[in-house]
Amino acid sequence: MCVGFEHCYNSFCIFAYPIGPLYHPFTVLLLSFSPHSAPPTETPAMVSPHGIKLAVHLISTYFGDIVSKVCECLLRKGTLTLQQVLRFTELSKQNVTNALLVLIQHNCVQAFTIEQPGGFEEEKKIVTNYMALHDNIIHHMRFPKFLAIVSDEFGQECTEIFEGLLQHGRLSVNQIMDRYKDKHKPLTSEENSSVVDVVHENFNRLVQARFIERCPAHVPHIKSEEDKDDAAKKKAKKNPSQTLEEQALALATLMESMRFAVEDTITNDAPDDNSNKKPTTAVVGEKRKQPETGATNENKEILWRVNFEEFTRRLRHKCVVTHVTNRIDSVAGIVLRAIFDASRRNETTVKMEKTVPLSMETIYEEAMKSEEGRSLNMDRVSQSLVQLGCEIPVVAIDETYTIDLKKIIDEAQSQEVESIVMKKYSRDAYRIFRFLSQCKSLCDTDKISTSTFVDKKEALKILFQLWKDDFLHMERHATEAKTAKTENLFWKLDKVSVWEQVLDDMYHAALNLKLRLAYEIDLANKGLRLLKGKIGGEEGEAKRMKMKSMWTVLDSSFLILDDAIMLFHDF
């Protein structure tokens, strides 16, 4: 089913087709590549070309053209000062300043300062730089998924607080309270104190679940090498390849104890003696500078934002469990979900390669908490652990078990790309591609043909097609015999470059879907205005239902495609 349209590029066409067992039976992906196109050029932020275009489109949709122009400048040029942004965008200083403030408010840009040497007999200058956070921008299109997770876990009241943070980017606790009062004026006028308690309780639940966090430092300062203390110099030596942007993000990030430290009180309309209480979680014995408490507003109130990291972790768990359920069985999925639930607080990063070590008793107890796991016994859990790649000891004394998550993610990614190859080319191409993906070295044409049971002429034709579309790497090796000189072709799959190309194509497809959806909505609105009062009754209702059905298909296709994007980029 082709859903290509005017906005698609000439060398691409969008099709809906099944891309593997991990997701819904149908999703949208780019199926045709320009045969002789060069690989995507590297950008300063190492973001793919269509990843930048998608991010710029999202910012333009949410905040307008001026903000998107400033954001695009930062994405394409890399980290810039205010003067450099003014020069590249040719916008007024007021417009650029306001655009940067909007982007910072919505967690799309991080500012930081660095020292620059002055001129002749001049002192050093402190210069403020701005860098675009591409991942945070892309996360904006996942807000419906984030809302669904909060709603399923905590219900409507927590969802209202969370929705406010999604809409406004950063809010203090008192701003959250004011927003809640505005939405529930009849209730708040009568029971003001109880409403404060309810909001405070729901806010605490979101913090405890790590769905929200304190905002990082507004403008962290990167010291020059000569100004760094011994500890900072040792840390820099451990990470010599750390970029300026990575240093800034590391400095802006709060300590774990401060990220989720909740203030004791929420101030009311009438201030009281407790309004100046300090956070309940105090760090004893450490000297911390003021920025370490996080960003604040003009009233010196702590600002809070959505913790994208926690939602990415939850979606990664869901993806892995779905893949295991489809590949093995539902019981393996139940056991793996229990492992995630039991070890969630101990996970240090999103992309953990292995699960946190857990004992059999802990895994079994967590599995029993779910309705599906109550029918399991210890032997069935043990069997599932073996299927998941764990080695069960003969004598289980203080033994712990871990699951190789990286292997599961790699399998899921390979299945998606193999499915793309099969749908775009043929089943023979799928077999050849799968064989090469399992080979660690170069393979000649004869070996590929013999191993995949594909005729040599057909295999050579397929290999050349895959090579022209940048799926394979080819080398020519000449061999000299007594009678003549022959040339053999050797082939290899470069997973890194192919996976990057597939991800860029997914970004392209997502952008086209967004443009198509906007186009269809605009077209429908124009049509409804023209037909207003002319068509009514069943005919008018049928047209509206048809348009609504098309929007639903495009929107759901976009969400499914986003699952694949996260698989290749975030997981």
Side-chain angles (χ1 to χ4, degrees):
M1 178 181 69
C2 180
V3 291
F5 60 104
E6 294 83 355
H7 298 91
C8 293
Y9 297 93
N10 293 330
S11 60
F12 290 82
C13 183
I14 297 181
F15 290 88
Y17 69 100
I19 66 165
L22 182 58
Y23 300 107
H24 187 276
F26 290 90
T27 190
V28 180
L29 200 60
L30 295 171
L31 279 179
S32 61
F33 305 87
S34 180
H36 303 288
S37 61
T41 56
E42 292 183 352
T43 63
M46 299 300 289
V47 182
S48 68
H50 289 103
I52 291 177
K53 290 181 179 179
L54 176 59
V56 172
H57 173 75
L58 292 172
I59 294 296
S60 177
T61 302
Y62 301 143
F63 309 117
D65 293 337
I66 292 177
V67 179
S68 70
K69 188 172 184 179
V70 172
C71 183
E72 183 176 13
C73 177
L74 291 172
L75 286 169
R76 294 193 182 280
K77 301 290 185 180
T79 301
L80 299 173
T81 64
L82 177 62
Q83 294 302 320
Q84 289 172 324
V85 176
L86 289 171
R87 186 169 72 252
F88 288 128
T89 60
E90 299 180 351
L91 295 171
S92 67
K93 186 175 182 180
Q94 186 65 43
N95 281 339
V96 171
T97 302
N98 290 338
L100 288 171
L101 288 173
V102 168
L103 291 168
I104 291 171
Q105 172 70 23
H106 289 272
N107 308 299
C108 300
V109 162
Q110 174 67 53
F112 64 94
T113 58
I114 57 173
E115 287 185 359
Q116 284 188 349
F120 180 69
E121 293 185 351
E122 290 184 358
E123 295 183 355
K124 294 179 181 179
K125 297 179 181 179
I126 304 296
V127 181
T128 304
N129 288 263
Y130 301 90
M131 62 173 165
L133 306 175
H134 178 266
D135 289 353
N136 283 8
I137 297 170
I138 297 298
H139 281 319
H140 278 66
M141 69 186 189
R142 298 175 182 134
F143 284 177
K145 294 180 180 180
F146 299 168
L147 269 174
I149 292 173
V150 173
S151 179
D152 291 343
E153 189 156 336
F154 294 128
Q156 182 60 29
E157 290 185 340
C158 284
T159 304
E160 286 185 12
I161 296 174
F162 186 76
E163 191 175 5
L165 287 169
L166 291 179
Q167 289 177 357
H168 299 285
R170 302 178 175 201
L171 292 173
S172 69
V173 179
N174 286 320
Q175 288 171 330
I176 292 171
M177 173 58 68
D178 292 340
R179 183 178 179 276
Y180 187 88
K181 287 178 179 178
D182 289 340
K183 290 188 70 175
H184 303 275
K185 284 183 179 178
L187 179 63
T188 54
S189 61
E190 297 176 3
E191 303 175 4
N192 196 36
S193 60
S194 63
V195 168
V196 170
D197 292 338
V198 169
V199 174
H200 199 181
E201 181 185 350
N202 290 328
F203 180 84
N204 286 340
R205 291 167 71 188
L206 289 170
V207 175
Q208 288 168 9
R210 304 199 172 187
F211 287 153
I212 61 177
E213 64 177 354
R214 290 190 180 202
C215 291
H218 266 315
V219 189
H221 176 66
I222 300 179
K223 295 180 180 179
S224 60
E225 287 297 324
E226 57 190 39
D227 292 335
K228 287 181 180 178
D229 54 23
D230 293 338
K233 288 179 180 179
K234 287 181 181 178
K235 191 175 181 180
K237 287 181 180 179
K238 290 181 180 179
N239 299 303
S241 60
Q242 195 176 38
T243 63
L244 203 64
E245 291 79 8
E246 289 170 342
Q247 291 179 50
L249 289 175
L251 287 170
T253 304
L254 304 178
M255 294 192 310
E256 200 75 3
S257 59
M258 293 303 299
R259 281 176 69 190
F260 307 102
V262 183
E263 292 175 323
D264 246 353
T265 60
I266 299 178
T267 59
N268 222 331
D269 289 338
D272 56 22
D273 296 335
N274 296 325
S275 60
N276 294 322
K277 282 188 180 180
K278 294 181 180 180
T280 56
T281 306
V283 183
V284 182
E286 289 189 40
K287 293 182 180 179
R288 311 300 298 176
K289 293 183 180 179
Q290 185 63 27
E292 292 296 337
T293 61
T296 58
N297 59 14
E298 63 275 8
N299 298 324
K300 302 300 179 183
E301 296 173 330
I302 298 295
L303 293 176
W304 295 81
R305 69 175 187 177
V306 174
N307 180 14
F308 294 141
E309 185 180 289
E310 179 62 26
F311 287 97
T312 304
R313 182 182 290 111
R314 297 285 184 106
L315 292 171
R316 185 180 193 246
H317 291 174
K318 181 182 176 182
C319 167
V320 173
V321 169
T322 303
H323 178 73
V324 165
T325 301
N326 291 330
R327 184 173 62 87
I328 303 175
D329 56 31
S330 60
V331 177
I334 293 168
V335 171
L336 185 55
R337 190 184 298 113
I339 291 172
F340 285 141
D341 291 340
S343 60
R344 183 172 293 151
R345 286 304 179 96
N346 297 319
E347 292 188 7
T348 54
T349 60
V350 173
K351 296 184 178 182
M352 288 191 67
E353 295 190 358
K354 293 186 177 182
T355 59
V356 176
L358 295 174
S359 65
M360 175 67 77
E361 288 73 18
T362 303
I363 297 170
Y364 182 67
E365 287 173 9
E366 193 65 40
M368 291 290 288
K369 292 179 182 178
S370 64
E371 188 177 344
E372 304 92 341
R374 286 175 194 144
S375 60
L376 301 179
N377 55 34
M378 193 76 79
D379 290 339
R380 188 66 183 88
V381 172
S382 179
Q383 182 183 347
S384 294
L385 288 172
V386 172
Q387 291 174 314
L388 289 166
C390 293
E391 294 183 3
I392 305 299
V394 179
V395 181
I397 301 175
D398 297 330
E399 292 291 342
T400 57
Y401 305 89
T402 60
I403 310 297
D404 191 342
L405 298 178
K406 187 177 184 302
K407 183 179 178 182
I408 296 173
I409 293 293
D410 288 345
E411 287 177 358
Q413 290 175 343
S414 296
Q415 282 190 17
E416 296 301 310
V417 180
E418 288 164 7
S419 180
I420 293 170
V421 171
M422 184 166 68
K423 293 298 175 182
K424 184 183 175 183
Y425 301 101
S426 63
R427 184 166 289 277
D428 288 342
Y430 158 77
R431 289 205 297 268
I432 290 173
F433 186 86
R434 184 177 175 82
F435 171 75
L436 287 172
S437 67
Q438 296 170 352
C439 294
K440 296 181 180 180
S441 58
L442 290 164
C443 294
D444 62 29
T445 308
D446 290 334
K447 184 179 179 181
I448 294 169
S449 174
T450 305
S451 301
T452 57
F453 303 103
V454 179
D455 181 70
K456 186 176 179 179
K457 278 189 177 181
E458 182 64 23
L460 200 57
K461 181 181 176 182
I462 292 169
L463 287 165
F464 268 111
Q465 186 62 50
L466 291 170
W467 171 70
K468 282 198 282 185
D469 290 346
D470 295 323
F471 276 104
L472 298 179
H473 169 71
M474 179 185 68
E475 290 186 12
R476 299 174 185 270
H477 292 184
T479 56
E480 292 186 7
K482 292 182 180 179
T483 54
K485 185 179 181 180
T486 59
E487 186 179 64
N488 294 325
L489 299 178
F490 288 80
W491 311 86
K492 187 181 179 181
L493 171 66
D494 184 358
K495 276 192 175 183
V496 175
S497 63
V498 172
W499 270 220
E500 288 175 354
Q501 180 182 336
V502 168
L503 177 62
D504 186 60
D505 296 332
M506 288 178 179
Y507 281 135
H508 191 179
L511 173 61
N512 285 338
L513 273 175
K514 279 288 187 184
L515 292 171
R516 175 65 185 268
L517 183 59
Y519 171 79
E520 291 293 343
I521 291 174
D522 184 56
L523 191 67
N525 290 334
K526 288 179 181 177
L528 288 174
R529 284 196 295 269
L530 291 172
L531 297 173
K532 190 175 182 180
K534 297 180 181 180
I535 297 179
E538 294 183 1
E539 186 179 355
E541 185 64 25
K543 282 185 176 293
R544 280 190 288 272
M545 291 300 294
K546 185 178 179 181
M547 288 184 291
K548 187 176 179 181
S549 176
M550 180 183 293
W551 299 344
T552 304
V553 169
L554 290 172
D555 199 39
S556 60
S557 297
F558 177 82
L559 291 175
I560 294 165
L561 177 58
D562 182 50
D563 290 340
I565 290 173
M566 293 194 79
L567 173 64
F568 282 86
H569 181 264
D570 299 282
F571 300 163

